[in-house]
């Protein structure tokens, strides 16, 4: 008998249907020579400290660092998990072959390997590796099963990650809790969560310490067109440009022209501004230069998980975690491909399948019709085998969506339109720059005219709903027809301005910062290069942000992420850069990726890890500053005060504290006439987003206690 093990019951049912297994048993489906069973995500986990040594049960500085000589796994303590595991164990011990049908990624590999290891499986193991759950993809996957040994490095990377998180998390959390906590609070430290918190705290401090500077802008209106005085770049700006060039050595460098930094110095006092204003007021305005340059703009990249989360946060205010749940649901409903990916490219073997996928997008016939019957464009910006490892970018499968929720429909629409757009022509435009003078002071205006919209027609419907900052700027509007040498009256004015502080992180910008080790960049090529040193994985970043909320280290104000006093103080007292530096943590992440690629040794990584944790412990123990962190609400109690299992910090019993009642939901002044509020941020908790139920709108965080509810009138 061949035993297939999937990661979820729903996936197991899909696989069983394809294999012809129809006989449903308790915990598995049997038939046609197969037994298809499933896990519920992780069934096993690494053992807890006290299970390695009784002395590690009590939280004590004298027991640190805790580094087991050999790590072991155990079943998660849950009756449902234990019952399902016994079924799996019985099947595996009688199996002639096992087919690992876990999610095709690092975490999926780790989940199933641990189960097989715990079950004592001895038979040969094959691996199903697919990127979508359509019947065609499953059949193709089973006809091309791979040997389990091909994925050994993937397992080693996942195991190293788990051991790394355990070793650093367990030791650093106990260390900082015992050294700097007070009133039984637990200070949770994590390999990814702490540098992520540090990014938020650093940005917040930059904002708080920002000193605005006053400056003035000289502008003039000529022929109903607003021209701005050309201001030369400061030495500081030139130095920043040079630094960016160093960070991106592959970028094309332009040879500086003689007048590349021309113009007046920035106006930093009103007196100078008024003098310049009077000068130009007395002189006519004359057009001195007109230049036009044609250009093209390629379609936007396909989505990886992070860019999809960013887009959903910007457009719909969906949290990263909510977007991950939605795209996972679309994957399981077979309408989208595997979501936990970090590439925006497709492999060459997907190209022949694209016409059929486009044909399956029945709701987008108006957009796909121009592509039908013609060879599709095959751009290197879309199809590149060298940029694809385990999985390709997120695209539709070609299966017609049915029964999607409003939120799922929005996410699918983003994916479908991106996919269609990559086969459309580039957008062609013309950029016109006009320079004029008044008393030798130069003014400039730039206008942009779309010549051929190309792929932009795919997103034309989005413009009216687009946030103001994402719409075309004023300098991209078409200009009147100017003639070189013409002159006439104009209306100059002086505008008072203030420099602005950096913006707080939103989930969208934080995800980008995590992806690029703290460097916020818009350039796709540079972002790809920095991904190698990003912190966390695409599949875990949403959970990391949620963890920071649960630890009360951050809160949300509208869409902005704000560090709490506890979060700020925790980062301030950490002197060990490896714990809070996104860049250093990114280097560590890179080593984990290299283990997966077989270019770095897992044993070396773990040796370095143990030494690093030991160094951190001794460094903190030498601190005699007697500092402590402010207690946040609902902090956890260290397990040293409790009799039960002490592997992880546990929440205090409800008997020892009064449970706070949730704030009452705001009463609506009026009922909405449509579903326009769906997907918006919850006005009560600020963390969830508005969803629609049978009788009322509610918050997606209702399971976590949010009581927002807005009834709507029932249709007759």
């Amino acid at each position: 008998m061949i035993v297939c093990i999937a990661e979820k019951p729903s996936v197991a049912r899909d696989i069983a249907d394809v294999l012809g297994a129809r006989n449903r048993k308790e915990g598995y489906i049997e038939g046609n020579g197969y037994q298809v069973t499933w896990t519920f995500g992780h069934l096993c986990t690494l053992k807890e400290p006290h299970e390695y040594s009784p002395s590690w049960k009590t939280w004590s500085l004298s027991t640190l660092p805790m580094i087991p000589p050999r790590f072991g796994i155990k079943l998660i303590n849950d009756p449902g998990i234990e019952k399902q595991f016994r079924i799996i164990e019985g099947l595996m011990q009688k199996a002639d072959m096992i087919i690992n049908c876990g999610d095709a990624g690092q975490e999926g590999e780790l989940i199933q390997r641990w189960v097989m290891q715990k079950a004592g499986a001895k038979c040969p193991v094959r691996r199903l590796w697919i990127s979508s759950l359509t019947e065609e993809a499953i059949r193709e996957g089973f006809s091309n099963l791979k040997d389990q040994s091909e994925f050994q490095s993937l397992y080693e990377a996942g195991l190293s990650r788990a051991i790394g998180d355990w070793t650093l998390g367990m030791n650093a959390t106990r260390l900082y809790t015992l050294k700097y906590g007070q009133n039984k609070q637990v200070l949770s430290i994590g390999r990814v969560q702490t540098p992520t918190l540090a990014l938020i705290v650093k940005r917040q401090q930059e904002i708080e310490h920002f000193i605005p500077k006053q400056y003035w802008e000289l502008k003039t209106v000529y022929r109903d067109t607003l021209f701005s005085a050309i201001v030369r770049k400061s030495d500081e700006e030139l130095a920043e440009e040079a630094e960016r060039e160093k960070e991106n050595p592959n970028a094309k460098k332009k040879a500086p022209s003689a007048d590349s930094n021309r113009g007046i110095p920035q106006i930093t006092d009103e007196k100078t501004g008024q003098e310049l204003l009077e000068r130009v007021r007395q002189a006519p305005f004359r057009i001195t230069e007109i230049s036009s340059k044609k250009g093209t703009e390629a379609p936007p990249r396909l989505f990886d998980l992070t860019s999809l989360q960013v887009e959903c946060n910007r457009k719909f205010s969906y949290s990263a975690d909510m977007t991950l749940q939605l795209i996972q649901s679309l994957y399981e409903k077979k309408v989208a491909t595997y979501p936990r990916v970090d590439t925006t490219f497709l492999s060459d073997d997907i190209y022949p399948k694209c016409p059929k996928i486009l044909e399956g997008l029945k709701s987008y016939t108006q957009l796909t019709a121009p592509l039908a019957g013609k060879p599709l464009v095959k751009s290197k910006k879309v199809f590149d085998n060298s940029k694809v490892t385990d999985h390709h970018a997120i695209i539709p499968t070609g299966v017609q969506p049915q029964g999607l929720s409003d939120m799922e429909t929005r996410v699918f629409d983003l994916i479908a339109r991106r996919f269609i757009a990559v086969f459309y022509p580039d957008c062609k435009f013309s950029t016109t720059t006009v320079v004029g003078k008044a008393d030798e002071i130069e003014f400039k205006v730039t206008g942009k005219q779309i010549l051929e919209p190309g792929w932009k027609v795919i997103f034309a419907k989005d413009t009216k709903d687009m946030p103001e900052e994402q719409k075309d700027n004023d300098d991209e509007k078409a200009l009147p027809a100017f003639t070189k040498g013409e002159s006439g009256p104009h209306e100059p004015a002086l505008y008072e301005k203030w420099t602005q502080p950096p913006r707080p992180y939103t989930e969208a910008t934080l995800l980008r910062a995590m992806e690029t080790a703290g460097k916020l960049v818009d350039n796709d090529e540079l972002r790809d290069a920095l991904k190698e040193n990003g912190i966390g994985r695409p599949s875990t970043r949403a959970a990391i942000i949620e963890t920071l909320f649960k630890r009360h280290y951050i809160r949300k104000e509208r869409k902005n992420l704000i560090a709490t006093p506890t979060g700020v103080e925790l980062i301030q007292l950490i002197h060990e850069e490896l714990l809070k530096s996104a860049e250093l943590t990114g280097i560590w992440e890179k080593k984990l990726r290299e283990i997966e690629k077989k270019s770095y040794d897992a044993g070396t990584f773990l040796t370095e890890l143990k030494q690093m944790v030991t160094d951190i412990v001794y460094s903190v123990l030498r601190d005699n500053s007697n500092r402590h962190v402010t207690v946040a609400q609902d902090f956890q109690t260290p397990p040293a005060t409790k009799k039960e299992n002490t592997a992880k910090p546990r929440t205090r019993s409800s008997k020892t504290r009064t449970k706070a009642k949730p704030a009452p939901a705001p009463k609506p002044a009026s009922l909405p006439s449509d579903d326009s509020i769906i997907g918006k941020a919850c006005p009560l908790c600020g963390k969830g987003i508005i969803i629609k139920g049978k009788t009322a709108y509610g918050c997606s965080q209702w399971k976590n206690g949010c009581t927002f509810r807005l009834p709507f009138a029932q249709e007759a």
Side-chain angles (χ1 to χ4, degrees):
M1 190 71 74
I2 298 173
V3 172
C4 301
I5 179 165
E7 199 164 307
K8 289 183 177 180
S10 60
V11 177
R13 287 193 295 270
D14 291 337
I15 291 171
D17 285 345
V18 171
L19 295 177
R22 302 280 188 267
N23 191 8
R24 294 181 180 272
K25 305 273 189 176
E26 187 174 15
Y28 66 101
I29 307 168
E30 187 175 75
N32 202 24
Y34 292 94
Q35 293 172 326
V36 185
T37 187
W38 54 83
T39 62
F40 311 115
H42 276 284
L43 297 191
C44 299
T45 186
L46 290 172
K47 288 182 178 178
E48 299 174 18
H50 70 278
E51 293 173 297
Y52 295 106
S53 170
S55 65
W56 291 352
K57 183 168 186 173
T58 303
W59 284 39
S60 168
L61 289 174
S62 64
T63 61
L64 303 179
M66 301 179 295
I67 301 177
R70 183 179 178 84
F71 282 85
I73 60 171
K74 65 166 190 171
L75 273 182
I76 292 172
N77 186 19
D78 178 273
I81 284 176
E82 290 174 2
K83 180 180 178 181
Q84 181 64 12
F85 175 77
R86 297 306 166 201
I87 293 169
I88 295 170
E89 184 180 37
L91 295 175
M92 285 187 170
Q93 289 182 352
K94 297 175 184 176
D96 299 311
M97 177 188 290
I98 296 170
I99 300 177
N100 179 353
C101 304
D103 279 4
Q106 195 182 97
E107 201 68 12
E109 188 69 17
L110 186 67
I111 286 170
Q112 307 297 33
R113 291 275 191 128
W114 275 355
V115 169
M116 287 185 274
Q117 181 182 326
K118 189 69 180 172
K122 304 293 184 186
C123 61
V125 180
R126 307 282 281 171
R127 184 60 158 104
L128 175 71
W129 195 262
I130 54 177
S131 289
S132 79
L133 292 173
T134 62
E135 181 179 335
E136 180 187 5
I138 294 171
R139 289 192 187 280
E140 187 177 331
F142 269 93
S143 66
N144 292 285
L145 291 173
K146 302 176 184 295
D147 192 88
Q148 179 88 325
S149 61
E150 293 182 38
F151 301 91
Q152 182 62 24
S153 63
L154 188 70
Y155 167 65
E156 289 177 1
L159 181 60
S160 298
R161 183 180 296 276
I163 290 174
D165 287 340
W166 190 101
T167 306
L168 182 62
M170 288 289 186
N171 282 284
T173 296
R174 289 192 178 193
L175 177 69
Y176 275 82
T177 297
L178 294 168
K179 186 74 174 176
Y180 302 113
Q182 56 181 342
N183 294 345
K184 301 179 181 178
Q185 71 183 133
V186 170
L187 298 178
S188 172
I189 304 289
R191 183 179 58 83
V192 179
Q193 67 162 297
T194 304
T196 301
L197 174 61
L199 287 174
I200 299 171
V201 170
K202 181 183 178 185
R203 174 61 57 84
Q204 193 161 309
Q205 290 175 330
E206 287 172 352
I207 295 169
E208 290 171 356
H209 298 147
F210 181 81
I211 300 174
K213 294 180 181 178
Q214 194 177 22
Y215 67 100
W216 284 261
E217 288 182 349
L218 183 61
K219 299 177 183 285
T220 192
V221 176
Y222 173 70
R223 287 183 54 188
D224 296 324
T225 304
L226 185 65
F227 287 73
S228 299
I230 300 175
V231 178
R232 73 172 66 116
K233 295 171 185 172
S234 65
D235 292 341
E236 186 178 287
E237 289 172 313
L238 292 172
E240 286 178 0
E241 281 186 4
E243 190 63 31
R244 282 196 295 270
E245 284 184 4
K246 285 181 185 177
E247 289 180 353
N248 190 15
N250 297 324
K252 294 179 181 177
K253 295 182 181 179
K254 298 178 182 177
S257 58
D259 60 349
S260 61
N261 195 24
R262 70 196 205 194
I264 60 173
Q266 187 177 64
I267 305 169
T268 55
D269 65 280
E270 190 173 11
K271 181 182 176 184
T272 300
Q274 290 294 343
E275 289 172 354
L276 292 171
L277 178 63
E278 290 307 313
R279 275 178 58 186
V280 299
R281 198 195 301 277
Q282 305 304 321
F285 189 82
R286 182 169 58 89
I287 301 297
T288 57
E289 296 176 27
I290 301 175
S291 61
S292 291
K293 185 179 179 182
K294 291 184 178 179
T296 61
E297 185 180 352
R301 294 260 191 105
L302 294 170
F303 285 116
D304 59 7
L305 177 58
T306 301
S307 58
L308 182 62
Q309 289 170 317
V310 167
E311 191 76 356
C312 287
N313 186 252
R314 285 176 176 166
K315 284 197 167 187
F316 314 128
S317 298
Y318 295 171
S319 69
D321 187 55
M322 175 58 68
T323 300
L324 178 56
Q325 291 178 41
L326 291 169
I327 182 58
Q328 179 69 25
S329 176
L330 292 175
Y331 169 63
E332 291 173 15
K333 290 179 177 178
K334 307 179 187 180
V335 298
T337 57
Y338 186 71
R340 291 171 168 80
V341 298
D342 60 359
T343 182
T344 57
F345 291 86
L346 300 176
S347 50
D348 289 336
D349 63 325
I350 301 298
Y351 178 73
K353 302 176 183 177
C354 291
K356 189 175 179 182
I357 296 173
L358 290 167
E359 188 182 326
L361 298 174
K362 305 295 185 185
S363 303
Y364 299 86
T365 306
Q366 189 175 349
L367 300 176
T368 58
L371 302 173
K374 302 175 186 176
L376 296 175
V377 175
K378 190 179 181 185
S379 167
K380 194 71 173 173
K381 293 179 180 177
V382 179
F383 297 92
D384 189 341
N385 282 341
S386 67
K387 302 289 179 65
V388 179
T389 50
D390 301 332
H391 297 284
H392 54 68
I394 301 170
I395 60 172
T397 60
V399 173
Q400 177 67 12
Q402 292 181 339
L404 301 188
S405 68
D406 291 342
M407 295 170 70
E408 288 171 339
T409 300
R410 287 190 181 96
V411 176
F412 180 80
D413 183 66
L414 292 178
I415 297 166
R417 288 177 186 272
R418 282 275 178 112
F419 181 69
I420 297 169
V422 299
F423 300 109
Y424 265 63
D426 289 354
C427 170
K428 295 181 180 179
F429 60 88
S430 174
T431 303
T432 301
T433 302
V434 181
V435 177
K437 277 186 181 180
D439 193 26
E440 298 306 309
I441 294 177
E442 291 188 305
F443 293 79
K444 181 174 76 170
V445 67
T446 300
K448 185 176 180 180
Q449 183 180 7
I450 301 296
L451 304 176
E452 295 178 25
W455 60 267
K456 289 207 170 186
V457 299
I458 304 294
F459 304 98
K461 79 173 189 69
D462 292 340
T463 308
K464 66 179 186 298
D465 300 321
M466 197 179 292
E468 288 299 321
E469 63 268 20
Q470 290 181 282
K471 292 182 180 177
D472 286 347
N473 296 323
D474 288 341
D475 64 356
E476 293 188 340
K477 293 178 180 177
L479 301 176
F482 292 106
T483 305
K484 185 177 179 180
E486 69 172 85
S487 66
H490 62 115
E491 300 173 20
L494 190 66
Y495 296 84
E496 180 185 19
K497 300 281 185 177
W498 291 87
T499 55
Q500 297 298 310
R503 291 182 177 182
Y505 279 114
T506 62
E507 285 204 35
T509 55
L510 181 62
L511 285 166
R512 282 298 189 209
M514 293 174 74
E515 181 184 49
T516 54
K519 295 180 174 65
L520 283 176
V521 292
D522 295 321
N523 181 276
D524 283 334
E525 283 73 22
L526 179 54
R527 192 158 61 234
D528 281 347
L530 291 172
K531 275 184 181 181
E532 279 294 301
N533 286 345
I535 58 175
R537 290 176 67 85
S539 56
T540 61
R541 289 175 188 139
I544 291 297
I545 295 172
E546 290 300 307
T547 296
L548 294 177
F549 280 117
K550 290 174 184 175
R551 304 294 189 204
H552 301 284
Y553 291 163
I554 64 172
R555 58 186 173 82
K556 189 177 282 188
E557 288 184 4
R558 296 181 182 271
K559 289 177 71 171
N560 296 333
L561 303 179
I562 307 298
T564 63
T566 304
V568 173
E569 289 180 30
L570 178 60
I571 294 302
Q572 286 176 338
L573 67 80
I574 295 175
H575 290 164
E576 294 69 36
E577 285 301 311
L578 267 170
L579 283 180
K580 63 179 181 179
S581 164
E583 203 157 351
L584 292 175
T585 304
I587 292 170
W588 196 14
E589 285 278 353
K590 184 180 180 183
K591 290 180 179 178
L592 287 165
R593 293 183 184 93
E594 288 173 348
I595 292 171
E596 189 174 320
K597 297 173 185 175
K598 304 179 183 178
S599 58
Y600 194 75
D601 180 61
T604 304
F605 173 80
L606 294 175
T607 299
E608 292 175 348
L609 162 75
K610 293 170 184 176
Q611 186 59 52
M612 184 197 79
V613 170
T614 301
D615 292 344
I616 288 172
V617 168
Y618 292 147
S619 172
V620 171
L621 291 177
R622 287 193 295 268
D623 179 15
N624 297 317
S625 64
N626 199 31
R627 295 171 294 164
H628 294 284
V629 172
T630 301
V631 180
Q633 290 183 338
D634 294 329
F635 256 105
Q636 295 168 302
T637 301
T641 64
K642 302 176 74 70
K643 293 182 180 179
E644 55 260 46
N645 191 327
T646 60
K648 295 180 182 177
R650 303 173 68 96
T651 53
R652 284 178 286 177
S653 168
S654 59
K655 295 178 182 178
T656 62
R657 59 184 171 93
T658 302
K659 188 173 182 180
K661 294 181 180 179
K667 293 182 179 179
S670 61
L671 297 176
S673 58
D674 55 30
D675 291 345
S676 62
I677 66 169
I678 295 174
K680 303 294 184 185
C682 174
L684 180 59
C685 71
K687 184 179 172 186
I689 48 94
I690 303 303
I691 56 178
K692 187 176 182 180
K694 291 182 179 179
T695 60
Y697 299 100
C699 175
S700 62
Q701 291 292 315
W702 61 274
K703 286 186 178 179
N704 296 326
C706 182
T707 57
F708 176 80
R709 190 171 184 275
L710 183 65
F712 51 76
Q714 298 294 297
E715 294 181 3

